[in-house]
Amino acid sequence: MEDTKSAVMNQVRQEAAMTNARQLIEKVNQHCFERCVPKPGASLSSGETQCYTQCMEKYMAAWNIVSTTYIKRIQQESAKGAGGGVF
Amino acid sequence: MDQPTAQLDSNLDLSKLTDRDKQELQQFLANEGQKARIQQTVHSLTDVCWKKCVTGTIRSNKLDSSEASCAANCVDRFMDANFTVIKHLERMRVSP
């Protein structure tokens, strides 16, 4: 049985990962549904499904670029010491 | 998964923690909190920049080079704009 401290840490990590995943799924669905299923039919066509897979991977690629750029930027800004405490 | 997340496992007895553990946990929680805020911002920025930069039909699972540079520019310009707001508010505060 792990100690209390590690148990708390693990639970917090798990919940953070879950929140992050849920958020991503929600956004992917929102954007890709709009893009890939403009007129919902009786079922998802194979074209729509294929579009969905591509769209999802593309969205995650965009997420990664945004993440890298944003983190680089806030590191630069905090190195400058400007905007103290804005982030 | 649908459980409210503010509740710690009731088997955990936090009163057993030593002061050192408590301090370490506090630091850990502060770090996790910051990470979560950054991730949250990345989600909303991706949302904004996707709408601006990926406008065509989805034909591939990769961003093309103009979409990729648009996304990076989008983040940087958003930050510029953000700082402009802060600076302007600061000026208004000093000389209303």
Side-chain angles (χ1 to χ4, degrees):
Chain A
M1 172 70 190
E2 62 184 341
D3 62 291
T4 309
K5 189 186 69 187
S6 322
V8 173
M9 286 179 167
N10 283 336
Q11 198 180 333
V12 169
R13 281 195 199 99
Q14 262 173 35
E15 281 174 13
M18 193 56 100
T19 308
N20 196 33
R22 200 181 291 146
Q23 185 85 254
L24 181 67
I25 293 168
E26 187 190 313
K27 290 292 179 194
V28 163
N29 232 333
Q30 185 188 315
H31 288 294
C32 297
F33 192 74
E34 186 164 320
R35 210 53 78 77
C36 296
V37 193
K39 285 204 160 46
S43 65
L44 273 188
S45 71
S46 66
E48 285 165 346
T49 311
Q50 196 200 359
C51 173
Y52 235 88
T53 329
Q54 291 184 333
C55 177
M56 175 180 168
E57 289 179 14
K58 204 165 172 161
Y59 194 84
M60 297 202 296
W63 200 96
N64 285 333
I65 289 184
V66 168
S67 174
T68 326
T69 316
Y70 176 64
I71 288 170
K72 205 166 88 196
R73 181 67 186 261
I74 52 178
Q75 278 167 351
Q76 279 169 4
E77 296 296 339
S78 72
K80 265 198 252 167
V86 176
F87 301 105
Chain B
M1 177 165 166
D2 292 327
Q3 288 294 316
T5 53
Q7 204 77 52
L8 274 171
D9 188 329
S10 51
N11 297 326
L12 295 173
D13 186 0
L14 294 177
S15 62
K16 277 195 212 134
L17 289 170
T18 64
D19 283 349
R20 199 165 159 264
D21 280 348
K22 281 183 190 159
Q23 217 181 357
E24 204 182 315
L25 264 184
Q26 238 161 28
Q27 186 58 52
F28 170 81
L29 290 175
N31 292 345
E32 287 295 312
Q34 193 184 29
K35 246 197 293 184
R37 280 196 302 280
I38 290 176
Q39 272 175 350
Q40 193 50 54
T41 308
V42 172
H43 281 298
S44 63
L45 276 175
T46 309
D47 187 82
V48 169
C49 296
W50 173 269
K51 280 187 216 146
K52 289 199 188 288
C53 297
V54 186
T55 50
T57 322
I58 312 280
R59 288 178 214 285
S60 132
N61 61 352
K62 295 199 172 59
L63 292 164
D64 67 37
S65 62
S66 69
E67 287 165 341
S69 64
C70 175
N73 284 335
C74 172
V75 173
D76 270 323
R77 296 299 80 74
F78 188 92
M79 297 298 283
D80 289 346
N82 197 22
F83 287 122
T84 309
V85 172
I86 294 169
K87 278 189 199 129
H88 192 68
L89 280 173
E90 183 64 19
R91 268 204 303 277
M92 288 168 83
R93 192 179 67 83
V94 175
S95 52

